[in-house]
Amino acid sequence: MSSAVNPLRDAQDRRLPRIAGPSGLVIFGVTGDLSRKKLMPAVYDLANRGLLPPGFSLVGFARRDWEHEDFAQVVHDAVREHARTPFREEVWQQLAQGMRFVSGVFDDDDAFRTLKATIEELDKSRGTGGNFAFYLSVPPKFFPTVVSQLKEHGLSDGQGDSWRRAVIEKPFGHDLKSAQDLNSVVHDVFRPSEVFRIDHYLGKETVQNILALRFANTMFEPLWNRSYVDHVQITMAEDIGIGGRAGYYDGIGSARDVIQNHLLQLLALTAMEEPVSFEAKPLVTEKMKVLNSVRLPEDLAAHTVRGQYAAGWQGGRKVLGYLDEDGIDPQSGTDTYAAIKLEIDNRRWAGVPFYLRTGKRLGRRVTEIAVVFQRAPHSPFGATDTQELGQNALVIRVQPDEGVTIRFGSKVPGTQMEIRDVTMDFAYGESFTESSPEAYERLILDVLLGDANLFPRHQEVERSWEILDPIEEHWERHGKPEQYPAGTWGPAAADEMLARDGRSWRRP
Ligand code: BG6
């Protein structure tokens, strides 16, 4: 076998653990939810798995009047509550010795001077080597201040061989224009290769498995095109409501929250051509090609739907409607459900619709990509024999219950010819003993290693807004979202949208 054409040729090397070199992480917005529930536990889990250097250091930056010990205690509690791996005192002690807290607001020069001194002290005491990543877990309106402060105080440039990187959380803008503005603010200070934009879906094992499934096998790719595929459904359904996130969510809505990023990334990975390698640049090239070929339907009223959850029942419990949630404007027209149809104008996909949908307070939590195949061109069976036969489908179950299902028709045992759908299943839990790392573990480690493969570049972010903007503008001009009872599968209009195309949504 020629190694030059085998994209998985480095598999041997990849089995070696990838361990970050001397480094530290500074988190802005360290008192927020994301930091407590995801970032702090991920740092501990990485340390526990031996993937961080012994002197790794974690610096929190926030307004609170905390001492280093108070910060360490907060991290400790977050780790005890949310970490994936067991708590080990010796790992914790080593990590805790490298924890520092800097108290201040973002435009406070003294606080940034203290941050600089803290980093220099850590370089000496912990051997962090001047290598620091700055994680901006703050609303985008603070990006300009934080990045310009980093520049002003000489923190954005590494000395000699050391590196400085910026990690940016979504939302990355709320439309194309604001995303371009943010990109230019960040790129004034950091080089593109130093900027890591988080889309945590790309850190999920099952999302990376889309590439393995498609490009490490021979049996799927020949069918992966307009000759065999009828349509593709990408679903991200959540059973939760907006919880305590009214401030972030109201006015943003479901399409900006997850279609612009997670779902369009899933579409890109499902539909793109094989990249030359899985390095960042070739991956972006292929994702951009396919995102550039995405076309919106002309009639947005017929092919997009938005909804908002009303009160209902979920898990045997009565839950509030969106408009009654804490902190939500009772007149709010924010969507908590969105469904859109997209076409991809290229040779592989011409005429194959991609249906994307997402929603909060739906029937259950499930994210999946279903590639639904055409019916057989001719059936030698009678209509009654096949009345329970659906379309063949390959379903990538992103979460929960991670795996892949193939659905096909099979003869029901008995004397008659009767054909019914059956499934063949691959479940991660059964095939692998090791549990999947949390997305944030993978992504934080990649930042420290400078590995940019799983981070969307600014072109992708901007192109995704360019796709979504006309839909948002259309919705803004046309009334309010349709209400759907919590615990159901969204507004009736979404079913009608597919019915018009002679199709129906899967009920996962
Ligand atoms: C985030 C969204 O990006 O993803 C949230 O802002 C959503 O609204 C979350 O709940 C879902 O993530 P996961 O990993 O639980 O599917």
Side-chain angles (χ1 to χ4, degrees):
M1 181 171 56
S2 150
S3 67
V5 294
N6 180 358
L8 298 181
R9 65 182 176 274
D10 296 337
Q12 208 70 31
D13 306 337
R14 282 168 202 221
R15 251 173 259 156
L16 297 171
R18 303 180 318 141
I19 300 173
S23 54
L25 180 68
V26 178
I27 305 181
F28 293 97
V30 78
T31 49
D33 237 29
L34 179 80
S35 172
R36 255 181 344 98
K37 289 191 181 148
K38 299 288 184 187
L39 308 184
M40 295 170 180
V43 165
Y44 169 80
D45 286 325
L46 285 171
N48 207 6
R49 291 166 61 215
L51 302 179
L52 296 184
F56 180 81
S57 302
L58 180 66
V59 182
F61 187 114
R63 189 197 289 255
R64 306 279 165 94
D65 199 10
W66 285 345
E67 300 294 331
H68 301 317
E69 297 72 35
D70 301 320
F71 173 57
Q73 186 60 43
V74 171
V75 181
H76 177 270
D77 295 348
V79 166
R80 287 312 284 251
E81 195 175 347
H82 300 288
R84 193 176 59 85
T85 59
F87 189 81
R88 290 197 291 150
E89 192 57 38
E90 66 277 20
V91 173
W92 169 255
Q93 285 304 336
Q94 182 159 9
L95 197 57
Q97 281 165 20
M99 287 186 195
R100 305 286 185 275
F101 185 74
V102 177
S103 167
V105 287
F106 300 138
D107 56 6
D108 176 355
D109 286 325
D110 282 344
F112 276 80
R113 276 191 277 273
T114 309
L115 178 60
K116 186 165 192 201
T118 305
I119 285 179
E120 286 164 0
E121 179 266 310
L122 287 168
D123 283 344
K124 289 204 187 87
S125 66
R126 304 274 296 171
T128 35
N131 302 316
F132 277 84
F134 300 102
Y135 199 122
L136 274 67
S137 179
V138 298
K141 65 175 183 221
F142 296 119
F143 289 2
T145 317
V146 177
V147 293
S148 65
Q149 284 283 52
L150 289 172
K151 185 174 181 171
E152 284 298 297
H153 291 272
L155 285 160
S156 54
D157 284 314
Q159 306 294 318
D161 285 345
S162 70
W163 51 258
R164 296 292 156 100
R165 297 179 185 137
V167 188
I168 298 178
E169 262 298 333
K170 62 181 267 277
F172 207 75
H174 59 270
D175 58 11
L176 175 61
K177 171 78 177 65
S178 54
Q180 285 169 332
D181 291 348
L182 283 178
N183 276 327
S184 85
V185 161
V186 174
H187 287 163
D188 272 351
V189 176
F190 289 95
R191 281 182 282 272
S193 60
E194 295 168 335
V195 181
F196 292 72
R197 292 172 190 76
I198 299 271
D199 183 320
H200 79 282
Y201 265 61
L202 297 182
K204 292 182 191 269
E205 286 287 328
T206 38
V207 172
Q208 293 158 46
N209 193 37
I210 300 170
L211 299 179
L213 181 99
R214 291 192 55 199
F215 301 125
N217 299 301
T218 48
M219 58 196 267
F220 305 117
E221 208 50 24
L223 307 179
W224 213 260
N225 55 57
R226 68 185 306 275
S227 304
Y228 296 95
V229 176
D230 177 72
H231 70 282
V232 177
Q233 293 187 18
I234 303 182
T235 299
M236 177 183 166
E238 295 186 280
D239 51 4
I240 52 170
I242 52 144
R245 296 168 77 221
Y248 159 75
Y249 200 87
D250 204 28
I252 296 226
S254 59
R256 287 191 172 101
D257 185 33
V258 302
I259 291 185
Q260 184 271 340
N261 37 72
H262 309 326
L263 268 59
L264 284 174
Q265 285 289 325
L266 293 183
L267 174 142
L269 295 176
T270 306
M272 72 182 192
E273 298 302 317
E274 180 178 294
V276 173
S277 80
F278 292 113
E279 302 298 317
K281 268 198 185 150
L283 264 171
V284 177
T285 304
E286 293 308 332
K287 284 196 278 174
M288 275 310 286
K289 265 164 60 188
V290 77
L291 289 171
N292 280 331
S293 306
V294 165
R295 178 170 50 85
L296 290 178
E298 265 165 38
D299 186 354
L300 290 177
H303 300 296
T304 70
V305 167
R306 61 186 174 146
Q308 189 181 66
Y309 63 83
W313 288 87
Q314 202 145 42
R317 201 165 59 88
K318 185 129 184 72
V319 295
L320 292 178
Y322 180 74
L323 298 178
D324 295 322
E325 297 272 20
D326 250 3
I328 298 295
D329 170 6
Q331 305 298 321
S332 173
T334 298
D335 50 287
T336 63
Y337 176 100
I340 62 180
K341 173 183 178 175
L342 297 174
E343 303 265 356
I344 298 179
D345 281 343
N346 63 20
R347 181 173 282 250
R348 185 191 282 263
W349 295 116
V352 178
F354 280 65
Y355 299 104
L356 275 47
R357 67 173 161 164
T358 184
K360 300 231 181 251
R361 286 266 182 251
L362 295 184
R364 54 177 281 232
R365 173 173 182 256
V366 58
T367 298
E368 62 165 44
I369 300 161
V371 178
V372 182
F373 293 93
Q374 297 168 10
R375 289 187 186 279
H378 160 77
S379 171
F381 305 100
T384 51
D385 302 340
T386 54
Q387 68 189 8
E388 290 194 54
L389 176 65
Q391 281 166 273
N392 295 168
L394 183 144
V395 182
I396 299 169
R397 301 194 308 271
V398 173
Q399 65 185 30
D401 188 20
E402 291 84 355
V404 179
T405 300
I406 297 179
R407 185 181 70 188
F408 56 97
S410 188
K411 182 181 177 305
V412 179
T415 51
Q416 310 246 64
M417 179 52 87
E418 185 192 344
I419 299 169
R420 209 185 279 166
D421 283 333
V422 294
T423 56
M424 222 155 65
D425 241 23
F426 148 61
Y428 271 76
E430 284 170 18
S431 299
F432 299 111
T433 45
E434 195 176 325
S435 68
S436 302
E438 252 284 315
Y440 278 96
E441 279 173 57
R442 171 68 196 257
L443 296 177
I444 290 173
L445 182 61
D446 281 0
V447 168
L448 300 176
L449 289 163
D451 192 342
N453 307 4
L454 299 180
F455 298 84
R457 310 305 285 181
H458 71 96
Q459 308 92 299
E460 295 168 70
V461 172
E462 291 178 11
R463 173 62 191 147
S464 301
W465 281 119
E466 209 169 55
I467 295 171
L468 193 62
D469 278 357
I471 299 177
E472 292 284 355
E473 281 157 21
H474 167 83
W475 285 345
E476 224 157 87
R477 285 196 307 275
H478 292 89
K480 289 202 167 174
E482 180 185 330
Q483 299 257 314
Y484 59 94
T488 64
W489 280 97
D495 292 330
E496 289 153 20
M497 171 180 138
L498 254 68
R500 272 195 291 278
D501 289 354
R503 302 188 173 101
S504 56
W505 293 108
R506 286 170 43 80
R507 288 281 180 263

